[in-house]
Amino acid sequence: MNIDAFAPVPDALEEFVAGVHRGSRQAYTEYRGDSDLRALVAERLATFTGRSVSSTNELIVTPGTQGALFLALAATVQAGDRVAIVRPDYFANRKVVEFLGGVVVPVSMDYLSRTDETGLDLGQLEEAFKSGARTFLFSNPNNPTGVVYGPEEIARIADLATQYGATVIVDQLYARLVYSGQLYTHMRASSIDASQVVTIMGPSKTESLSGYRLGVACGPAQIIDRMEKLQAIVSLRAPGYSQSVLRTWFAEPDGWLQERIAKHEALRDTLLQLFRAVPGVVVRTPQAGSYVFPRLPQLRIPLHSFVHAVRVQAGATVTVGTEFSPDATESVRLNFSQNHDRAVAAVTRMIQLIDRYAM
Amino acid sequence: MNIDAFAPVPDALEEFVAGVHRGSRQAYTEYRGDSDLRALVAERLATFTGRSVSSTNELIVTPGTQGALFLALAATVQAGDRVAIVRPDYFANRKVVEFLGGVVVPVSMDYLSRTDETGLDLGQLEEAFKSGARTFLFSNPNNPTGVVYGPEEIARIADLATQYGATVIVDQLYARLVYSGQLYTHMRASSIDASQVVTIMGPSKTESLSGYRLGVACGPAQIIDRMEKLQAIVSLRAPGYSQSVLRTWFAEPDGWLQERIAKHEALRDTLLQLFRAVPGVVVRTPQAGSYVFPRLPQLRIPLHSFVHAVRVQAGATVTVGTEFSPDATESVRLNFSQNHDRAVAAVTRMIQLIDRYAM
């Protein structure tokens, strides 16, 4: 999220300052976060996700969604454990598993040949569970493609997790930025047992609050307890004063979120038109979030060099596809959460570079 | 630090707000921290510690000193590695090593029979290195006792680390709160090679800025690089806006630090008098920091029950000694960084409880 183009939620700073004035109580919260704020957020997340959340047992506030992801994996994965991970998916998923000494079991997603569901290979997911994986981690909407898991996909993941006794960790960082007409199905509201699902969210992206480093995880008491013990040795707690800013979350002014979604959607549509006019470019329509993941035509230069050229000559930061999947050797991820005209200009220059370097 | 009794550094909040107004640049710093702020802090730490610090290669900003401790250990310790740890020392040291799958090799410190140095058993430290430990972690001033390592101790640690090629990680969280007449020797200014020492500090305690979650580590480029890569998967970065608050660090108004030290010192002296009037209590004079670690007479109730009674009946939070060393079965740590009269009243009630339960 470019916060200069998309301003933070109103009142965020005021809530922070109020937190500073509360003194010790706000600076030294419980490691899992201030109890009043957890009560507030638990209720809002229950409404949003469609399943109750106990603020005392089932919720932890973390330093950003990244902190929640690290702790959720560290609380469930031991060295040698097999962990099912989608290809493509957020690059840190793989890196955290590797840091913990876990073994990544890839599950592929054929997102380019679908328009409704994500195209997750459920057969491969079952094979992963059969091979011993007891944790499945995925982002929904998917990062980098912006595709959203369909209700049948979520139901099938729930069935498989139930059958094999696996824990599902779902990163829903962009779950509030869902485009018009698109259904969103919450994993934790599926038939899965509450003891088997951890949901990660945070106000860093859609709400432009990244500078405050806030994330949350909700899940079974046993995993949240372990996450809190780990948080005590990793960073103690999410920044105390920042936690106050959670008061603004899911409580934005009327129409605020809708306007933010509409602006992103208009930009998404313009960029898709631009990309689809380029011979050899194939791109799936993002259903949520602010990433687009076009597959480029074959280039005369290595993808890394192209990405460098885009940064220097088009002033746009894109990420090579292989960060998300070793197979995505011809794709790049672009974050289009920017000023509309500037984003269009950057993509126009990027397309000129595609034309220049296409074989 | 009780921040209601000891207020945060002046201008901390103003610097934070200025950071918010800088927008994206301050929200999305490099993972190792904003480069301008690193330049500032590197220079000040070089002056403070007596050895140069490269802001580009040798410094990382972390979410609190706890974050720096975790990352420094995670960057140097692999599963199965032996790590020398002092007894007693900060309880998280042991916990982080255990999380990483490391093996704790204890090095004892006979702090009660000394008045000058800490009484670290240097023979045991050498044995630890001989047994294969290649990392030595200690806090200076020591947490929980408040004792400060003498120049000969630091020199000898440097010699041993050099001889055995070990990395020394020194947690200097309280290194600015040193009492009158006390010398402080910086590990990194000793004869040790710069590639072998990581120094951890932060403004959470003496400066009462814990609510902003800020810490720093300085050390060799290779370890700092690895810490940054790990930070990218653990929490991305120290809170962006909070980083601005580092401008106030080592730049407090004239006399501010001296007054803070004097108030703590006066309280320390009063509390020592109170404790030393109790038959059976033995306590070493803290030379720095805000902890005191008295050994109590034998009690008729378990130490955990006594600590509970102190919390409920004296309104004081003390920590059982066994958190710091399995041998400290009769000691408790008290943080005396509070309002003077309230701290004296709490310790007076605590002493009544010692009298009541002493055998």
Side-chain angles (χ1 to χ4, degrees):
Chain A
M1 198 67 44
N2 181 313
I3 63 174
D4 302 327
F6 290 100
V9 174
D11 299 334
L13 180 55
E14 286 74 4
E15 288 294 354
F16 183 93
V17 173
V20 172
H21 292 313
R22 271 194 290 278
S24 276
R25 212 195 115 193
Q26 194 65 53
Y28 297 99
T29 71
E30 288 178 66
Y31 292 146
R32 61 176 59 195
D34 177 81
S35 57
D36 290 355
L37 291 164
R38 280 187 286 117
L40 235 157
V41 170
E43 204 184 312
R44 293 172 186 173
L45 281 182
T47 305
F48 179 66
T49 64
R51 191 164 187 162
S52 73
V53 178
S54 157
S55 70
T56 44
N57 300 323
E58 299 179 335
L59 184 77
I60 184 170
V61 183
T62 59
T65 304
Q66 186 71 42
L69 176 68
F70 176 80
L71 295 173
L73 281 168
T76 46
V77 177
Q78 304 286 315
D81 285 356
R82 298 169 72 80
V83 181
I85 298 228
V86 178
R87 280 186 180 168
D89 210 328
Y90 178 43
F91 44 76
N93 294 0
R94 171 177 52 83
K95 293 179 184 176
V96 176
V97 171
E98 285 165 359
F99 171 76
L100 296 166
V103 178
V104 170
V105 184
V107 179
S108 63
M109 197 177 82
D110 186 13
Y111 58 97
L112 279 178
S113 54
R114 302 293 293 266
T115 58
D116 49 345
E117 301 198 311
T118 65
L120 182 76
D121 190 327
L122 289 157
Q124 277 187 24
L125 179 60
E126 179 156 17
E127 285 306 316
F129 287 147
K130 277 186 180 160
S131 83
R134 286 298 167 269
T135 306
F136 174 46
L137 166 63
F138 71 106
S139 56
N140 186 21
N142 173 264
N143 176 351
T145 63
V147 298
V148 170
Y149 287 76
E152 288 80 13
E153 286 180 316
I154 294 292
R156 189 72 187 118
I157 293 168
D159 288 348
L160 289 172
T162 303
Q163 187 181 339
Y164 292 95
T167 299
V168 177
I169 302 173
V170 52
D171 170 357
Q172 302 196 170
L173 180 53
Y174 272 109
R176 298 185 76 199
L177 193 65
V178 175
Y179 295 125
S180 52
Q182 179 61 45
L183 189 72
Y184 186 90
T185 310
H186 287 276
M187 188 73 231
R188 64 189 306 277
S190 72
S191 67
I192 197 168
D193 192 87
S195 68
Q196 287 176 254
V197 59
V198 179
T199 306
I200 292 169
M201 282 195 74
S204 289
K205 298 287 187 180
T206 308
E207 302 82 356
S208 300
L209 298 175
S210 184
Y212 294 96
R213 287 287 77 210
L214 286 169
V216 301
C218 62
Q222 180 190 338
I223 292 178
I224 299 295
D225 284 351
R226 173 118 172 99
M227 287 174 73
E228 183 180 39
K229 286 203 178 76
L230 292 173
Q231 179 140 290
I233 62 168
V234 169
S235 62
L236 290 189
R237 60 175 73 80
Y241 304 141
S242 288
Q243 291 180 38
S244 302
V245 176
L246 287 171
R247 283 180 211 284
T248 67
W249 200 31
F250 288 98
E252 299 84 6
D254 279 351
W256 185 92
L257 183 64
Q258 289 71 16
E259 190 195 329
R260 181 144 297 194
I261 294 170
K263 282 187 173 171
H264 281 86
E265 189 165 335
L267 186 49
R268 174 198 68 165
D269 293 341
T270 304
L271 299 185
L272 285 173
Q273 272 191 322
L274 290 173
F275 278 124
R276 285 179 177 148
V278 184
V281 169
V282 183
V283 60
R284 169 90 185 255
T285 301
Q287 297 157 312
S290 71
Y291 298 125
V292 62
F293 195 59
R295 194 180 71 196
L296 310 182
Q298 245 194 306
L299 303 175
R300 286 181 288 110
I301 58 172
L303 194 61
H304 277 93
S305 308
F306 176 77
V307 161
H308 180 75
V310 169
R311 184 166 62 244
V312 174
Q313 296 176 49
T317 299
V318 301
T319 309
V320 292
T322 47
E323 284 284 305
F324 309 94
S325 165
D327 310 323
T329 52
E330 297 176 326
S331 300
V332 294
R333 186 192 73 176
L334 172 81
N335 185 350
F336 59 84
S337 186
Q338 298 176 51
N339 168 285
H340 191 102
D341 294 344
R342 219 171 295 166
V344 169
V347 167
T348 303
R349 287 195 297 274
M350 179 176 159
I351 286 170
Q352 289 166 351
L353 291 170
I354 296 174
D355 288 339
R356 182 182 312 163
Y357 293 117
M359 275 196 158
Chain B
M1 200 65 45
N2 180 314
I3 63 173
D4 303 327
F6 290 100
V9 174
D11 300 332
L13 180 54
E14 285 75 5
E15 289 293 354
F16 182 93
V17 173
V20 172
H21 293 313
R22 270 192 292 275
S24 277
R25 209 195 116 193
Q26 193 65 55
Y28 298 98
T29 70
E30 286 178 67
Y31 291 146
R32 62 176 59 196
D34 177 82
S35 58
D36 289 355
L37 290 165
R38 280 188 285 116
L40 236 157
V41 170
E43 202 185 314
R44 293 173 186 173
L45 281 181
T47 305
F48 180 66
T49 64
R51 189 164 187 162
S52 74
V53 178
S54 157
S55 69
T56 45
N57 300 324
E58 299 179 335
L59 184 76
I60 183 170
V61 184
T62 58
T65 304
Q66 185 72 42
L69 177 67
F70 176 80
L71 294 173
L73 281 168
T76 46
V77 177
Q78 303 287 317
D81 285 357
R82 298 170 71 81
V83 180
I85 299 229
V86 178
R87 282 187 179 166
D89 210 327
Y90 178 44
F91 43 79
N93 294 0
R94 170 178 53 82
K95 292 179 184 176
V96 176
V97 171
E98 285 166 0
F99 171 77
L100 297 167
V103 178
V104 170
V105 184
V107 179
S108 63
M109 197 177 83
D110 186 13
Y111 57 96
L112 279 177
S113 56
R114 303 293 293 264
T115 56
D116 49 346
E117 302 198 313
T118 65
L120 182 76
D121 190 327
L122 290 157
Q124 278 187 22
L125 179 59
E126 177 154 20
E127 286 306 316
F129 288 146
K130 277 187 181 161
S131 82
R134 286 298 168 267
T135 306
F136 174 47
L137 166 63
F138 70 105
S139 57
N140 185 22
N142 174 264
N143 175 352
T145 63
V147 299
V148 169
Y149 288 77
E152 288 81 12
E153 286 180 316
I154 294 291
R156 188 74 185 116
I157 292 168
D159 289 348
L160 288 171
T162 303
Q163 187 180 341
Y164 292 94
T167 299
V168 178
I169 302 174
V170 52
D171 170 357
Q172 302 195 170
L173 180 52
Y174 272 107
R176 298 185 75 200
L177 193 64
V178 174
Y179 295 125
S180 52
Q182 179 62 45
L183 189 71
Y184 186 89
T185 310
H186 287 275
M187 188 74 231
R188 64 190 304 278
S190 73
S191 67
I192 197 168
D193 192 88
S195 69
Q196 287 176 255
V197 60
V198 178
T199 305
I200 292 169
M201 281 195 75
S204 289
K205 298 287 186 181
T206 308
E207 303 81 355
S208 299
L209 298 175
S210 183
Y212 294 96
R213 289 283 80 209
L214 286 168
V216 300
C218 61
Q222 177 191 340
I223 292 178
I224 299 295
D225 284 350
R226 173 120 174 97
M227 289 174 72
E228 183 180 38
K229 285 203 178 74
L230 292 173
Q231 179 141 289
I233 63 168
V234 169
S235 62
L236 290 190
R237 59 175 73 79
Y241 305 141
S242 287
Q243 291 179 38
S244 302
V245 176
L246 287 172
R247 284 181 210 283
T248 67
W249 200 31
F250 288 97
E252 299 83 6
D254 278 352
W256 185 91
L257 183 64
Q258 291 70 16
E259 189 194 330
R260 181 144 295 194
I261 294 171
K263 281 187 174 172
H264 280 86
E265 188 164 336
L267 186 49
R268 173 198 70 164
D269 293 342
T270 304
L271 299 185
L272 285 173
Q273 271 192 323
L274 289 173
F275 278 124
R276 284 177 176 150
V278 184
V281 169
V282 183
V283 58
R284 170 88 185 256
T285 301
Q287 297 157 313
S290 71
Y291 297 124
V292 61
F293 195 60
R295 193 179 72 195
L296 310 182
Q298 244 193 309
L299 303 176
R300 286 179 290 107
I301 58 173
L303 194 61
H304 277 93
S305 309
F306 175 78
V307 161
H308 180 76
V310 168
R311 184 164 64 244
V312 173
Q313 297 177 47
T317 300
V318 300
T319 308
V320 291
T322 47
E323 285 284 305
F324 309 94
S325 166
D327 310 324
T329 53
E330 297 176 327
S331 299
V332 294
R333 186 192 75 174
L334 173 81
N335 185 349
F336 60 86
S337 185
Q338 297 175 53
N339 167 286
H340 190 104
D341 293 344
R342 220 173 294 167
V344 170
V347 167
T348 304
R349 288 196 297 275
M350 178 176 159
I351 286 170
Q352 288 165 351
L353 291 170
I354 296 173
D355 288 340
R356 183 183 309 165
Y357 292 117
M359 275 197 159

